[in-house]
Every structure is written in C-alpha cells, then in structure tokens.
Amino acid sequence: VRELGFAKQIFRKNNALHKCTLESVEDSLMNLARTGISLNPALKLAHLIPRGNKCTLEFSYMGLIKMLKDGGSIKHIEAHIVYEDEEFDYTNETITHKKTFAKSEKDHNNREIIGAYSKAILPTNESVYCFMPLWELNKIKDYSKGGNIWNNWRDEMYKKSVIKRHIKTLIGGVNNELSYALQIEQDNHPIKSRRDNVLDDALLGEFESVANS
C-alpha cells in the first residue's frame, strides 16, 4: 500500500507516465515488489521511467548498493570517479586515491575523467576493488539505449556501471533480489545491434523531474 502511494505521487508529477500501457505499469510495480526496493522519492533508490508507451523500473546505484548490503554480501560499498588531476594508483588489486576537489561547478565539469572504481568491504573486513577506465565506461554508454540519462546523470551512471560490474563478483549467486534487479537492468539497457535505432532521447526527457521530485 505504501509503495502504491509513492507510485501515485510519481504519476501525478510525470505526465509522460500517463501514456504508458497498464501492463507495463503493472510489470514495473511487480518487479519493484520482487526486489524489495522503495519508490520513495526522498530515498531516490528507484524510479519509474517512461520509454515510449512503456513504464520501466530504473534503479539508482544507491538502490543497487542497498540490495547488496541487505543481502549480507558486504558491510559497505562505495563508488568514486577518478580525475586526471588526482593521485591514483591501482596495483596488485589495491587502489590508493587522493582526491582533489574543484573550486567551482564549471571547473569540475571541465576536469578530465580517467575512470571510476568501487570499493567493497566484505563481512570478513577484507577490502576488494573494481576499476573501469573511461574508455570502458564510454563503451557501455555508447552501446546502451537512453542517451539522455547518461548526458544528464553522467557521474551517477559511471558509478552505477562500475557498481553493477562489481556486484556480479560479490553476490555469489545467492542474493535472489539483487540477481533479479540486475536482470531488470539488463532488460532495460540492452546492448543494441548495428541495425537497432537508439531510443529517442526525448522520451527520457522527464527523468530529471522524476529523480528530483
């Protein structure tokens, strides 16, 4: 009942969702129930996104992290972007990273990115890492549908990409909710063939209003 209330709130604020088929809305809400993630706009763990006449369930990287922690696979996990003006070293599966912070949003947006990584702390207190260079992150971007999400939420999508890769090595096939969420992600962001047309980005134009509501 609580999640239905959040769904109604989201639908009232996003007119594009009104064009979605009833079947796709029901499927999205069923997928939500199977993963146990909340649609609470304040938490920003998951979003209902219109794609043409279909409603799809989109997880934020924080939503994926919550499922991983709730499943007991980790104690903690976080993702970071690495910029060219920072000290960074990835040797023997261990990362050292000294962050540098830009003085303004303009300076931040002009910084060159060299990659992104995630650090997970296991129940044994061991730290494990996953690093993806920029060319690999951009390959995922270029071969995924939904360019506006990447353009408007670049940092989050980079972090989400490395978290998703790391998750596959952490869940060990025992976290059914997270395995199901990853399958939903794959269905929502399939690798397109050369003959496929990229989904019209205009259909995703209201993603920001949904995420920020």
Side-chain angles (χ1 to χ4, degrees):
V1 177
R2 195 175 184 181
E3 293 306 318
L4 286 176
F6 291 138
K8 289 179 180 178
Q9 178 182 344
I10 292 168
F11 269 80
R12 283 197 299 267
K13 294 184 177 182
N14 191 335
N15 292 330
L17 287 170
H18 299 170
K19 302 175 184 178
C20 297
T21 64
L22 179 60
E23 181 182 6
S24 69
V25 173
E26 291 176 341
D27 287 345
S28 294
L29 294 178
M30 183 64 70
N31 289 336
L32 186 75
R34 289 173 176 170
T35 60
I37 285 293
S38 176
L39 270 180
N40 187 341
L43 299 178
K44 299 183 179 180
L45 301 176
H47 313 288
L48 294 178
I49 304 298
R51 287 188 169 89
N53 66 343
K54 290 185 178 181
C55 173
T56 58
L57 179 63
E58 184 85 23
F59 300 101
S60 70
Y61 85 97
M62 291 303 298
L64 295 176
I65 288 174
K66 185 178 187 305
M67 283 185 275
L68 194 61
K69 294 178 71 173
D70 289 350
S73 299
I74 60 165
K75 284 187 175 182
H76 180 72
I77 189 170
E78 57 190 22
H80 302 275
I81 295 176
V82 184
Y83 299 90
E84 65 172 355
D85 59 350
E86 297 177 328
E87 296 181 20
F88 177 79
D89 182 63
Y90 187 20
T91 305
N92 297 326
E93 304 301 321
T94 299
I95 286 177
T96 55
H97 180 203
K98 184 176 180 181
K99 289 190 174 185
T100 300
F101 297 96
K103 295 181 179 180
S104 67
E105 183 178 1
K106 180 179 179 181
D107 289 343
H108 172 73
N109 291 334
N110 288 333
R111 302 166 80 191
E112 292 292 331
I113 294 174
I114 66 171
Y117 71 92
S118 57
K119 174 184 178 181
I121 300 177
L122 305 181
T124 60
N125 290 322
E126 177 187 4
S127 295
V128 291
Y129 301 85
C130 179
F131 174 72
M132 295 180 67
L134 182 62
W135 68 264
E136 204 167 1
L137 293 168
N138 284 338
K139 185 176 180 180
I140 294 174
K141 172 185 175 181
D142 293 341
Y143 283 88
S144 296
K145 296 182 179 182
N148 258 0
I149 291 179
W150 281 89
N151 292 334
N152 297 338
W153 295 84
R154 181 199 66 180
D155 290 6
E156 169 149 343
M157 292 304 290
Y158 282 159
K159 292 178 181 179
K160 183 176 178 179
S161 295
V162 73
I163 286 285
K164 283 170 63 177
R165 172 168 292 186
H166 205 171
I167 282 173
K168 294 176 182 178
T169 68
L170 295 172
I171 61 176
V174 297
N175 190 323
N176 293 330
E177 290 80 8
L178 190 49
S179 296
Y180 192 78
L182 290 177
Q183 183 58 54
I184 294 172
E185 282 287 310
Q186 177 58 34
D187 293 342
N188 287 345
H189 301 282
I191 300 299
K192 66 180 187 294
S193 68
R194 292 181 180 179
R195 294 184 179 182
D196 285 339
N197 291 322
V198 178
L199 180 67
D200 185 1
D201 287 341
L203 300 177
L204 301 180
E206 295 205 25
F207 179 80
E208 281 188 299
S209 64
V210 176
N212 288 326
S213 61

mmCIF file of all heavy atoms in Angstrom, residues 126-155:
data_model
loop_
_atom_site.group_PDB
_atom_site.id
_atom_site.type_symbol
_atom_site.label_atom_id
_atom_site.label_comp_id
_atom_site.label_asym_id
_atom_site.label_seq_id
_atom_site.Cartn_x
_atom_site.Cartn_y
_atom_site.Cartn_z
ATOM 1 N N GLU A 126 37.644 -7.651 4.721
ATOM 2 C CA GLU A 126 38.570 -7.512 3.599
ATOM 3 C C GLU A 126 38.023 -6.475 2.622
ATOM 4 O O GLU A 126 36.823 -6.406 2.371
ATOM 5 C CB GLU A 126 38.724 -8.855 2.886
ATOM 6 C CG GLU A 126 39.605 -8.801 1.647
ATOM 7 C CD GLU A 126 39.598 -10.105 0.864
ATOM 8 O OE1 GLU A 126 38.847 -11.030 1.258
ATOM 9 O OE2 GLU A 126 40.318 -10.188 -0.140
ATOM 10 N N SER A 127 38.914 -5.659 2.065
ATOM 11 C CA SER A 127 38.531 -4.672 1.063
ATOM 12 C C SER A 127 38.841 -5.203 -0.332
ATOM 13 O O SER A 127 39.940 -5.700 -0.580
ATOM 14 C CB SER A 127 39.279 -3.355 1.284
ATOM 15 O OG SER A 127 38.907 -2.761 2.509
ATOM 16 N N VAL A 128 37.861 -5.105 -1.223
ATOM 17 C CA VAL A 128 38.056 -5.541 -2.605
ATOM 18 C C VAL A 128 37.624 -4.406 -3.526
ATOM 19 O O VAL A 128 36.729 -3.627 -3.203
ATOM 20 C CB VAL A 128 37.267 -6.830 -2.920
ATOM 21 C CG1 VAL A 128 37.862 -8.012 -2.184
ATOM 22 C CG2 VAL A 128 35.795 -6.675 -2.560
ATOM 23 N N TYR A 129 38.267 -4.336 -4.697
ATOM 24 C CA TYR A 129 38.076 -3.208 -5.595
ATOM 25 C C TYR A 129 37.679 -3.664 -6.995
ATOM 26 O O TYR A 129 37.947 -4.800 -7.398
ATOM 27 C CB TYR A 129 39.368 -2.391 -5.702
ATOM 28 C CG TYR A 129 39.870 -1.831 -4.398
ATOM 29 C CD1 TYR A 129 40.678 -2.599 -3.552
ATOM 30 C CD2 TYR A 129 39.542 -0.541 -4.002
ATOM 31 C CE1 TYR A 129 41.154 -2.087 -2.356
ATOM 32 C CE2 TYR A 129 40.014 -0.017 -2.809
ATOM 33 C CZ TYR A 129 40.808 -0.792 -1.992
ATOM 34 O OH TYR A 129 41.266 -0.287 -0.802
ATOM 35 N N CYS A 130 37.070 -2.737 -7.710
ATOM 36 C CA CYS A 130 36.777 -2.937 -9.132
ATOM 37 C C CYS A 130 37.004 -1.601 -9.827
ATOM 38 O O CYS A 130 36.449 -0.580 -9.414
ATOM 39 C CB CYS A 130 35.338 -3.407 -9.317
ATOM 40 S SG CYS A 130 34.863 -3.649 -11.046
ATOM 41 N N PHE A 131 37.840 -1.597 -10.867
ATOM 42 C CA PHE A 131 38.167 -0.368 -11.588
ATOM 43 C C PHE A 131 37.786 -0.512 -13.056
ATOM 44 O O PHE A 131 37.984 -1.557 -13.665
ATOM 45 C CB PHE A 131 39.652 -0.046 -11.483
ATOM 46 C CG PHE A 131 40.076 1.124 -12.332
ATOM 47 C CD1 PHE A 131 39.722 2.419 -11.982
ATOM 48 C CD2 PHE A 131 40.802 0.930 -13.495
ATOM 49 C CE1 PHE A 131 40.086 3.501 -12.773
ATOM 50 C CE2 PHE A 131 41.183 2.003 -14.291
ATOM 51 C CZ PHE A 131 40.823 3.293 -13.925
ATOM 52 N N MET A 132 37.212 0.559 -13.613
ATOM 53 C CA MET A 132 36.900 0.609 -15.039
ATOM 54 C C MET A 132 37.465 1.900 -15.619
ATOM 55 O O MET A 132 37.136 2.992 -15.140
ATOM 56 C CB MET A 132 35.386 0.562 -15.268
ATOM 57 C CG MET A 132 34.727 -0.739 -14.839
ATOM 58 S SD MET A 132 32.929 -0.739 -15.123
ATOM 59 C CE MET A 132 32.878 -0.717 -16.923
ATOM 60 N N PRO A 133 38.320 1.811 -16.640
ATOM 61 C CA PRO A 133 38.847 3.023 -17.281
ATOM 62 C C PRO A 133 37.751 3.722 -18.074
ATOM 63 O O PRO A 133 36.704 3.129 -18.383
ATOM 64 C CB PRO A 133 39.938 2.477 -18.201
ATOM 65 C CG PRO A 133 39.514 1.074 -18.495
ATOM 66 C CD PRO A 133 38.839 0.576 -17.256
ATOM 67 N N LEU A 134 37.999 4.980 -18.424
ATOM 68 C CA LEU A 134 36.988 5.782 -19.096
ATOM 69 C C LEU A 134 36.539 5.159 -20.414
ATOM 70 O O LEU A 134 35.350 5.179 -20.730
ATOM 71 C CB LEU A 134 37.529 7.197 -19.345
ATOM 72 C CG LEU A 134 36.540 8.165 -20.014
ATOM 73 C CD1 LEU A 134 35.315 8.379 -19.135
ATOM 74 C CD2 LEU A 134 37.217 9.488 -20.321
ATOM 75 N N TRP A 135 37.472 4.593 -21.175
ATOM 76 C CA TRP A 135 37.087 4.044 -22.477
ATOM 77 C C TRP A 135 36.077 2.906 -22.312
ATOM 78 O O TRP A 135 35.169 2.744 -23.142
ATOM 79 C CB TRP A 135 38.311 3.540 -23.254
ATOM 80 C CG TRP A 135 38.994 2.331 -22.681
ATOM 81 C CD1 TRP A 135 40.071 2.298 -21.857
ATOM 82 C CD2 TRP A 135 38.627 0.961 -22.900
ATOM 83 N NE1 TRP A 135 40.406 1.003 -21.539
ATOM 84 C CE2 TRP A 135 39.546 0.162 -22.173
ATOM 85 C CE3 TRP A 135 37.624 0.333 -23.645
ATOM 86 C CZ2 TRP A 135 39.470 -1.231 -22.160
ATOM 87 C CZ3 TRP A 135 37.560 -1.058 -23.645
ATOM 88 C CH2 TRP A 135 38.473 -1.825 -22.906
ATOM 89 N N GLU A 136 36.193 2.171 -21.221
ATOM 90 C CA GLU A 136 35.269 1.070 -20.989
ATOM 91 C C GLU A 136 33.909 1.595 -20.534
ATOM 92 O O GLU A 136 32.863 1.074 -20.938
ATOM 93 C CB GLU A 136 35.856 0.126 -19.945
ATOM 94 C CG GLU A 136 35.302 -1.282 -20.033
ATOM 95 C CD GLU A 136 36.118 -2.259 -19.213
ATOM 96 O OE1 GLU A 136 37.103 -1.846 -18.555
ATOM 97 O OE2 GLU A 136 35.758 -3.431 -19.221
ATOM 98 N N LEU A 137 33.916 2.627 -19.707
ATOM 99 C CA LEU A 137 32.663 3.252 -19.284
ATOM 100 C C LEU A 137 31.931 3.847 -20.485
ATOM 101 O O LEU A 137 30.704 3.708 -20.615
ATOM 102 C CB LEU A 137 32.948 4.343 -18.253
ATOM 103 C CG LEU A 137 33.493 3.877 -16.902
ATOM 104 C CD1 LEU A 137 34.007 5.075 -16.109
ATOM 105 C CD2 LEU A 137 32.433 3.131 -16.113
ATOM 106 N N ASN A 138 32.680 4.495 -21.359
ATOM 107 C CA ASN A 138 32.066 5.101 -22.539
ATOM 108 C C ASN A 138 31.580 4.060 -23.532
ATOM 109 O O ASN A 138 30.637 4.305 -24.294
ATOM 110 C CB ASN A 138 33.046 6.066 -23.208
ATOM 111 C CG ASN A 138 33.161 7.376 -22.457
ATOM 112 O OD1 ASN A 138 32.262 7.749 -21.706
ATOM 113 N ND2 ASN A 138 34.259 8.083 -22.649
ATOM 114 N N LYS A 139 32.221 2.905 -23.542
ATOM 115 C CA LYS A 139 31.749 1.823 -24.408
ATOM 116 C C LYS A 139 30.365 1.372 -23.963
ATOM 117 O O LYS A 139 29.484 1.110 -24.787
ATOM 118 C CB LYS A 139 32.733 0.652 -24.365
ATOM 119 C CG LYS A 139 32.389 -0.470 -25.336
ATOM 120 C CD LYS A 139 33.448 -1.542 -25.315
ATOM 121 C CE LYS A 139 33.093 -2.663 -26.296
ATOM 122 N NZ LYS A 139 34.130 -3.737 -26.304
ATOM 123 N N ILE A 140 30.163 1.268 -22.640
ATOM 124 C CA ILE A 140 28.848 0.918 -22.114
ATOM 125 C C ILE A 140 27.836 2.001 -22.474
ATOM 126 O O ILE A 140 26.712 1.717 -22.887
ATOM 127 C CB ILE A 140 28.913 0.732 -20.587
ATOM 128 C CG1 ILE A 140 29.784 -0.478 -20.241
ATOM 129 C CG2 ILE A 140 27.516 0.568 -19.998
ATOM 130 C CD1 ILE A 140 30.022 -0.656 -18.763
ATOM 131 N N LYS A 141 28.261 3.247 -22.340
ATOM 132 C CA LYS A 141 27.381 4.372 -22.681
ATOM 133 C C LYS A 141 26.988 4.334 -24.153
ATOM 134 O O LYS A 141 25.809 4.466 -24.495
ATOM 135 C CB LYS A 141 28.090 5.690 -22.361
ATOM 136 C CG LYS A 141 27.351 6.932 -22.839
ATOM 137 C CD LYS A 141 28.181 8.171 -22.579
ATOM 138 C CE LYS A 141 27.494 9.405 -23.169
ATOM 139 N NZ LYS A 141 28.299 10.630 -22.949
ATOM 140 N N ASP A 142 27.970 4.141 -25.030
ATOM 141 C CA ASP A 142 27.728 4.192 -26.464
ATOM 142 C C ASP A 142 26.854 3.046 -26.958
ATOM 143 O O ASP A 142 26.137 3.185 -27.949
ATOM 144 C CB ASP A 142 29.054 4.185 -27.222
ATOM 145 C CG ASP A 142 29.865 5.443 -27.005
ATOM 146 O OD1 ASP A 142 29.268 6.458 -26.584
ATOM 147 O OD2 ASP A 142 31.095 5.420 -27.223
ATOM 148 N N TYR A 143 26.927 1.917 -26.279
ATOM 149 C CA TYR A 143 26.177 0.750 -26.733
ATOM 150 C C TYR A 143 24.933 0.490 -25.898
ATOM 151 O O TYR A 143 24.332 -0.579 -25.969
ATOM 152 C CB TYR A 143 27.075 -0.488 -26.737
ATOM 153 C CG TYR A 143 28.016 -0.502 -27.919
ATOM 154 C CD1 TYR A 143 29.252 0.128 -27.833
ATOM 155 C CD2 TYR A 143 27.657 -1.095 -29.118
ATOM 156 C CE1 TYR A 143 30.121 0.148 -28.917
ATOM 157 C CE2 TYR A 143 28.502 -1.072 -30.202
ATOM 158 C CZ TYR A 143 29.735 -0.454 -30.096
ATOM 159 O OH TYR A 143 30.590 -0.429 -31.173
ATOM 160 N N SER A 144 24.545 1.475 -25.104
ATOM 161 C CA SER A 144 23.320 1.354 -24.321
ATOM 162 C C SER A 144 22.288 2.319 -24.870
ATOM 163 O O SER A 144 22.609 3.343 -25.460
ATOM 164 C CB SER A 144 23.581 1.676 -22.841
ATOM 165 O OG SER A 144 24.463 0.746 -22.276
ATOM 166 N N LYS A 145 21.030 1.975 -24.655
ATOM 167 C CA LYS A 145 19.952 2.856 -25.075
ATOM 168 C C LYS A 145 19.657 3.854 -23.954
ATOM 169 O O LYS A 145 19.754 3.534 -22.792
ATOM 170 C CB LYS A 145 18.700 2.047 -25.398
ATOM 171 C CG LYS A 145 18.881 1.108 -26.592
ATOM 172 C CD LYS A 145 17.604 0.368 -26.908
ATOM 173 C CE LYS A 145 17.806 -0.537 -28.122
ATOM 174 N NZ LYS A 145 16.567 -1.250 -28.502
ATOM 175 N N GLY A 146 19.258 5.046 -24.345
ATOM 176 C CA GLY A 146 18.889 6.048 -23.338
ATOM 177 C C GLY A 146 19.977 7.058 -23.098
ATOM 178 O O GLY A 146 20.498 7.192 -21.996
ATOM 179 N N GLY A 147 20.364 7.806 -24.124
ATOM 180 C CA GLY A 147 21.466 8.739 -24.011
ATOM 181 C C GLY A 147 21.245 9.893 -23.065
ATOM 182 O O GLY A 147 22.185 10.397 -22.466
ATOM 183 N N ASN A 148 19.998 10.342 -22.917
ATOM 184 C CA ASN A 148 19.745 11.492 -22.047
ATOM 185 C C ASN A 148 20.079 11.193 -20.599
ATOM 186 O O ASN A 148 20.534 12.071 -19.869
ATOM 187 C CB ASN A 148 18.279 11.926 -22.155
ATOM 188 C CG ASN A 148 18.119 13.151 -23.034
ATOM 189 O OD1 ASN A 148 19.085 13.679 -23.552
ATOM 190 N ND2 ASN A 148 16.897 13.590 -23.219
ATOM 191 N N ILE A 149 19.836 9.969 -20.152
ATOM 192 C CA ILE A 149 20.181 9.613 -18.788
ATOM 193 C C ILE A 149 21.681 9.751 -18.586
ATOM 194 O O ILE A 149 22.149 10.286 -17.582
ATOM 195 C CB ILE A 149 19.714 8.184 -18.459
ATOM 196 C CG1 ILE A 149 18.188 8.127 -18.398
ATOM 197 C CG2 ILE A 149 20.306 7.713 -17.135
ATOM 198 C CD1 ILE A 149 17.630 6.761 -18.107
ATOM 199 N N TRP A 150 22.461 9.292 -19.558
ATOM 200 C CA TRP A 150 23.924 9.394 -19.458
ATOM 201 C C TRP A 150 24.379 10.847 -19.524
ATOM 202 O O TRP A 150 25.295 11.248 -18.817
ATOM 203 C CB TRP A 150 24.575 8.593 -20.580
ATOM 204 C CG TRP A 150 24.611 7.130 -20.321
ATOM 205 C CD1 TRP A 150 23.672 6.201 -20.640
ATOM 206 C CD2 TRP A 150 25.655 6.410 -19.656
ATOM 207 N NE1 TRP A 150 24.065 4.959 -20.227
ATOM 208 C CE2 TRP A 150 25.280 5.055 -19.635
ATOM 209 C CE3 TRP A 150 26.877 6.786 -19.101
ATOM 210 C CZ2 TRP A 150 26.083 4.073 -19.057
ATOM 211 C CZ3 TRP A 150 27.677 5.812 -18.532
ATOM 212 C CH2 TRP A 150 27.277 4.469 -18.515
ATOM 213 N N ASN A 151 23.743 11.634 -20.378
ATOM 214 C CA ASN A 151 24.148 13.039 -20.518
ATOM 215 C C ASN A 151 23.798 13.857 -19.281
ATOM 216 O O ASN A 151 24.577 14.699 -18.839
ATOM 217 C CB ASN A 151 23.474 13.649 -21.750
ATOM 218 C CG ASN A 151 23.982 13.051 -23.044
ATOM 219 O OD1 ASN A 151 25.112 12.564 -23.110
ATOM 220 N ND2 ASN A 151 23.150 13.069 -24.073
ATOM 221 N N ASN A 152 22.619 13.612 -18.705
ATOM 222 C CA ASN A 152 22.155 14.415 -17.579
ATOM 223 C C ASN A 152 22.648 13.905 -16.240
ATOM 224 O O ASN A 152 22.702 14.657 -15.269
ATOM 225 C CB ASN A 152 20.629 14.469 -17.570
ATOM 226 C CG ASN A 152 20.066 15.156 -18.800
ATOM 227 O OD1 ASN A 152 20.753 15.920 -19.450
ATOM 228 N ND2 ASN A 152 18.816 14.872 -19.119
ATOM 229 N N TRP A 153 22.984 12.617 -16.183
ATOM 230 C CA TRP A 153 23.391 11.993 -14.928
ATOM 231 C C TRP A 153 24.717 11.245 -15.126
ATOM 232 O O TRP A 153 24.867 10.099 -14.713
ATOM 233 C CB TRP A 153 22.301 11.047 -14.435
ATOM 234 C CG TRP A 153 21.046 11.772 -14.089
ATOM 235 C CD1 TRP A 153 20.041 12.161 -14.934
ATOM 236 C CD2 TRP A 153 20.666 12.231 -12.790
ATOM 237 N NE1 TRP A 153 19.062 12.826 -14.245
ATOM 238 C CE2 TRP A 153 19.413 12.880 -12.930
ATOM 239 C CE3 TRP A 153 21.263 12.141 -11.541
ATOM 240 C CZ2 TRP A 153 18.755 13.452 -11.844
ATOM 241 C CZ3 TRP A 153 20.597 12.704 -10.465
ATOM 242 C CH2 TRP A 153 19.362 13.357 -10.625
ATOM 243 N N ARG A 154 25.668 11.912 -15.757
ATOM 244 C CA ARG A 154 26.930 11.268 -16.131
ATOM 245 C C ARG A 154 27.629 10.615 -14.951
ATOM 246 O O ARG A 154 27.977 9.427 -15.007
ATOM 247 C CB ARG A 154 27.870 12.309 -16.759
ATOM 248 C CG ARG A 154 29.205 11.749 -17.213
ATOM 249 C CD ARG A 154 30.228 12.860 -17.375
ATOM 250 N NE ARG A 154 30.550 13.485 -16.083
ATOM 251 C CZ ARG A 154 31.420 14.493 -15.944
ATOM 252 N NH1 ARG A 154 32.003 15.012 -17.006
ATOM 253 N NH2 ARG A 154 31.677 14.994 -14.739
ATOM 254 N N ASP A 155 27.836 11.358 -13.869
ATOM 255 C CA ASP A 155 28.587 10.825 -12.741
ATOM 256 C C ASP A 155 27.891 9.613 -12.129
ATOM 257 O O ASP A 155 28.527 8.601 -11.826
ATOM 258 C CB ASP A 155 28.790 11.902 -11.679
ATOM 259 C CG ASP A 155 29.750 12.994 -12.131
ATOM 260 O OD1 ASP A 155 30.163 12.956 -13.306
ATOM 261 O OD2 ASP A 155 30.077 13.877 -11.319
#
